[in-house]
Amino acid sequence: MRSSSLNLVIYILRRLAISIPVLLVGTFLCFVMVAGTGDPLGELRQNPTISKEALAATAAKLGLDQGIVPRYFTWLGDFLSGNWGISIAQGNALAPVAPKVMAAFGVTLKLVVGAEILALIIGIIVGVLAAVKQYSIIDYLATTLAFLLFSMPIFCVAIVLKNYAIEINGWVRDLGLADILGNPWLRTTSPEQLKTDGVGDFITSTIGAYLLPTLSIMAISFAAYSRFQRASMLEVLGSDYVRTARAKGLGNGRVIFRHAFRNALIPVTTLFSVNFGSVLAGAIITETVFNWHGMGTLLVEAVSKNDTQVMMGWLVVIASSVIVANLIADLMYGVLDPRIRVG
Amino acid sequence: MADLNSLLASETASAEGTLPPEALPEPRSQGKLVLRKFLHHKLAMASTAVLILIVLLSIVLPLFWKHNYEDSSFPSFAKPSADFPLGTTQVGKDMVAQVLRGTQYSLLIALTVSILATVVGVVLGAIAGYLRGFSDSTISRVTDLFLIIPQIAAAAILAKVFGGGSWYIVALVLAAFAWMQIARITRAEAMSLSQREFVDAARASGAGTFRIIFKHLVPNMVGSITVNATLAVAQAVLAEAALSFIGLGVQLPDTSLGRVILENYAQLQTRPALFFGPFIVLVLISLTINFIGDGLRDAFDPRQRRMKA
């Protein structure tokens, strides 16, 4: 018999192996669409001072003189050997793609991870409270808030928050807190110049920079998580084994936390994995409102400039992160529910 | 519960033939029961009323409204007044007319997306769940493929491929990335339904695959299909707005609520009506549709028996 940790490793490898053909087809389709629809040298061709020979040489250097399919395989070969290609957009001075995409992904990830963890924690707490105190004021308030946030476009939340930030910064000034918190405290643009000269300054300026975008991303995730947690908690609380636990004379707290809570977490885990792609999309839109230079800006730039290599790097990074998020969620099932064993 | 008991009692009594037929409750079909439960769902009914009002206003009001959406002869940034309830835009267009037209397009796009996504999702999901094997793994891989490519990236690329911006292109792009959830749910349901006796019975009496899927499986999934199609409309309204907001969605001469917000949100500080007008309509649409979806879910759920007979 194989040990369970070996089983787990085999399961993870098998899952990743299944994703590879999906990734290949996805990248191929995108390559054909991006590379096939625009000429990255279009702007240069308009320029009369550049000779035809120079253009042809550049095209040959970039591999643009070949057909789409050979170009895809050239890209794939290079990509697999660690060479993600160079950006061909004007003004980028042929910058390598990998650091560019990774830097942008880092920005987006910093935003998403914090917001999602907070949304999960708060969503689960609110969902459990609403279920335990069903039909109480807490329940009605939580339900109303969740429905409202869930029905709101994320960019509008971001716009409204950004607008009120200006007023809050005014209050901070009026209260004389500007010296401690920074002036302006809440930032509505990219956080590239954080103060790092002291721990206190670092904390307040980080909060100031991250608070609004994080709140925007949290809004919708929180709504979904709290609704799911409430529904699954209600279902578990009505189940036979919870009744058994109560019949044995266990206290309310013990029944809720030891018996019900753990099983009620499973649907939320599913939601987290299914949701990850749309959370990334939400982050991309939030970034646009707050002028962060993350994956959103990069996408719009790559598409508008026909920057195939950047687009492909973007796609592979995003798609891989979705695959990994799904895998993590599936592994979490096994941890949460002993009836489900992966392998 | 008392009502149910009396219903049961009267049915038992009628089986024994002790009650005259006119004393029996009228037999109710599944559809009637669902409709009855939905009609008793206060929040869902109120939402339906508000949504119908929004739809009617967006269709009828432009015919009678004093200002045309194209007319830019008004003063720039006029304050909200009796003549311009939401004020005017920078180029001097009446905001009410803009919001009405944006609502029309947003609803049109969202409805198209939901119908297309539901049809594709149900057909693929039912085939995968019923046939299993090769069809299932092929369809599941295709579903995975669409799940790992973010809708926003695909929309960006496709908008370029089609030279996009027309409302129907935006609707097609959104639908292309909205069917996966419905397909997954339908697949799971088709899998469990295909184990049931009535499917065996249909197969034994000579029904073909096509007939079993569309005459036996799909009608039995009508509950979850309706609920998810409804929720898909709400998601499509928001998705379209987001796409249009980052400039990858609807382009002129077409419009949408997302585009109206994009054009006017910079004025939030000084002229809040220009932002909150389209914003509130957008939230009302998606909120009421979500409530209706919730009401439908309760109505189709046989475990929920809160309704009065």
Side-chain angles (χ1 to χ4, degrees):
Chain A
M1 221 175 133
R2 286 181 304 197
S3 73
S4 66
S5 62
L6 185 63
N7 267 346
L8 192 65
V9 172
I10 292 174
Y11 173 77
I12 293 175
L13 289 178
R14 207 180 64 210
R15 278 287 303 269
L16 292 177
I18 293 174
S19 319
I20 290 173
V22 177
L23 256 181
L24 284 178
V25 176
T27 51
F28 179 73
L29 289 178
C30 284
F31 193 92
V32 169
M33 284 193 291
V34 179
T37 51
D39 181 6
L41 302 179
E43 269 178 57
L44 292 178
R45 283 188 215 285
Q46 305 285 319
N47 190 334
T49 58
I50 300 175
S51 71
K52 280 218 166 86
E53 291 75 31
L55 274 173
T58 315
K61 202 174 116 210
L62 296 170
L64 295 175
D65 52 346
Q66 290 168 316
I68 293 270
V69 178
R71 271 169 67 194
Y72 172 74
F73 284 104
T74 314
W75 169 81
L76 187 64
D78 285 352
F79 188 88
L80 292 178
S81 60
N83 173 14
W84 291 25
I86 45 172
S87 170
I88 47 177
Q90 296 295 297
N92 281 329
L94 304 180
V97 167
K100 205 175 158 72
V101 174
M102 282 309 176
F105 187 60
V107 170
T108 302
L109 207 59
K110 263 191 251 167
L111 204 56
V112 167
V113 170
E116 278 297 280
I117 290 174
L118 282 173
L120 260 179
I121 294 173
I122 301 176
I124 288 172
I125 292 174
V126 171
V128 168
L129 270 180
V132 172
K133 305 226 176 272
Q134 196 186 6
Y135 302 132
S136 68
I137 293 183
I138 298 176
D139 186 20
Y140 284 122
L141 277 180
T143 303
T144 314
L145 184 68
F147 264 103
L148 256 181
L149 291 177
F150 195 70
S151 307
M152 232 174 254
I154 197 165
F155 63 91
C156 287
V157 178
I159 291 170
V160 172
L161 284 175
K162 194 174 167 173
N163 183 48
Y164 288 111
I166 298 166
E167 274 179 45
I168 293 175
N169 281 334
W171 297 341
V172 168
R173 261 193 298 278
D174 293 345
L175 290 170
L177 294 172
D179 290 339
I180 312 164
L181 294 175
N183 188 16
W185 177 47
L186 294 175
R187 282 169 191 272
T188 52
T189 53
S190 111
E192 272 148 24
Q193 338 77 6
L194 288 180
K195 279 195 243 168
T196 47
D197 39 333
V199 178
D201 271 1
F202 178 69
I203 292 173
T204 53
S205 69
T206 306
I207 292 176
Y210 278 81
L211 186 66
L212 300 180
T214 304
L215 277 178
S216 325
I217 298 175
M218 270 177 67
I220 290 164
S221 292
F222 158 78
Y225 293 144
S226 72
R227 292 303 294 165
F228 251 65
Q229 185 63 34
R230 177 182 180 274
S232 75
M233 193 72 189
L234 279 177
E235 200 173 321
V236 172
L237 283 176
S239 67
D240 290 341
Y241 74 87
V242 168
R243 199 179 313 130
T244 310
R246 285 193 203 279
K248 283 195 299 188
L250 292 184
N252 207 17
R254 204 174 158 82
V255 170
I256 290 168
F257 288 104
R258 288 297 296 258
H259 292 256
F261 180 61
R262 190 171 152 144
N263 282 322
L265 279 178
I266 295 167
V268 177
T269 320
T270 325
L271 184 65
F272 173 78
S273 82
V274 176
N275 224 11
F276 191 74
S278 58
V279 170
L280 277 178
I284 285 170
I285 289 163
T286 309
E287 280 170 9
T288 317
V289 177
F290 289 102
N291 302 323
W292 284 39
H293 299 299
M295 293 303 257
T297 326
L298 195 64
L299 170 73
V300 174
E301 193 188 281
V303 171
S304 65
K305 292 185 174 166
N306 282 311
D307 206 339
T308 314
Q309 318 285 358
V310 174
M311 189 63 223
M312 299 312 291
W314 189 97
L315 184 77
V316 173
V317 168
I318 290 275
S320 309
S321 70
V322 174
I323 291 171
V324 171
N326 283 335
L327 183 59
I328 292 174
D330 281 356
L331 295 176
M332 286 295 291
Y333 290 150
V335 177
L336 289 170
D337 189 344
R339 286 170 299 185
I340 304 167
R341 278 278 170 253
V342 295
Chain B
M1 276 324 215
D3 309 309
L4 260 181
N5 286 339
S6 65
L7 197 82
L8 272 176
S10 64
E11 265 171 351
T12 330
S14 71
E16 290 160 5
T18 50
L19 274 178
E22 61 270 19
L24 292 177
E26 199 188 325
R28 297 199 188 108
S29 69
Q30 182 69 25
K32 271 189 191 160
L33 276 173
V34 169
L35 182 67
R36 224 185 142 79
K37 268 196 195 170
F38 185 75
L39 291 177
H40 280 85
H41 200 292
K42 284 188 197 121
L43 193 55
M45 283 315 287
S47 300
T48 312
V50 174
L51 186 65
I52 289 176
L53 187 71
I54 293 175
V55 173
L56 284 182
L57 277 182
S58 78
I59 296 171
V60 178
L61 194 56
L63 304 176
F64 302 103
W65 190 244
K66 48 199 164 189
H67 308 303
N68 187 285
Y69 71 90
E70 277 178 315
D71 190 348
S72 56
S73 62
F74 309 115
S76 172
F77 288 139
K79 285 211 173 74
S81 62
D83 210 17
F84 306 105
L86 292 174
T88 60
T89 65
Q90 187 170 18
V91 291
K93 289 181 177 177
D94 172 44
M95 195 58 190
V96 173
Q98 301 300 311
V99 172
L100 287 172
R101 188 152 176 274
T103 310
Q104 281 178 4
Y105 275 89
S106 281
L107 288 170
L108 183 64
I109 291 170
L111 212 59
T112 315
V113 171
S114 168
I115 292 171
L116 289 177
T118 306
V119 170
V120 173
V122 167
V123 169
L124 289 183
I127 291 174
Y130 177 68
L131 290 181
R132 312 273 178 104
F134 179 71
S135 320
D136 183 22
S137 46
T138 312
I139 292 174
S140 295
R141 287 294 87 75
V142 174
T143 314
D144 289 349
L145 174 67
F146 278 83
L147 280 172
I148 61 166
I149 301 177
Q151 185 180 49
I152 199 165
I157 299 169
L158 288 176
K160 226 178 148 70
V161 173
F162 290 114
S166 295
W167 71 267
Y168 54 87
I169 287 175
V170 175
L172 277 178
V173 170
L174 286 175
F177 286 84
W179 55 270
M180 293 87 76
Q181 199 183 352
I182 294 175
R184 281 191 161 182
I185 293 166
T186 314
R187 172 178 173 270
E189 264 195 77
M191 269 190 174
S192 92
L193 282 176
S194 60
Q195 303 296 313
R196 302 261 293 268
E197 289 86 350
F198 70 87
V199 176
D200 288 337
R203 208 179 294 132
S205 54
T209 305
F210 186 85
R211 193 179 167 83
I212 289 180
I213 289 178
F214 292 102
K215 285 270 175 186
H216 295 274
L217 294 183
V218 172
N220 277 294
M221 302 189 264
V222 89
S224 69
I225 294 174
T226 318
V227 172
N228 284 294
T230 312
L231 297 178
V233 180
Q235 283 160 11
V237 170
L238 297 184
E240 179 281 314
L243 262 192
S244 295
F245 177 74
I246 58 170
L248 298 174
V250 180
Q251 308 290 337
L252 293 174
D254 289 357
T255 182
S256 76
L257 285 175
R259 207 188 146 81
V260 175
I261 293 175
L262 169 68
E263 284 162 1
N264 295 292
Y265 82 99
Q267 313 302 327
L268 173 57
Q269 190 81 28
T270 42
R271 300 164 189 94
L274 290 184
F275 170 78
F276 281 108
F279 169 66
I280 288 171
V281 177
L282 187 61
V283 172
L284 269 182
I285 292 174
S286 96
L287 191 64
T288 51
I289 296 174
N290 277 328
F291 280 141
I292 293 170
D294 223 44
L296 282 173
R297 194 196 314 253
D298 288 352
F300 276 110
D301 187 353
R303 285 175 300 181
Q304 292 234 348
R305 295 213 180 280
R306 273 195 307 168
M307 53 91 62
K308 295 186 177 69

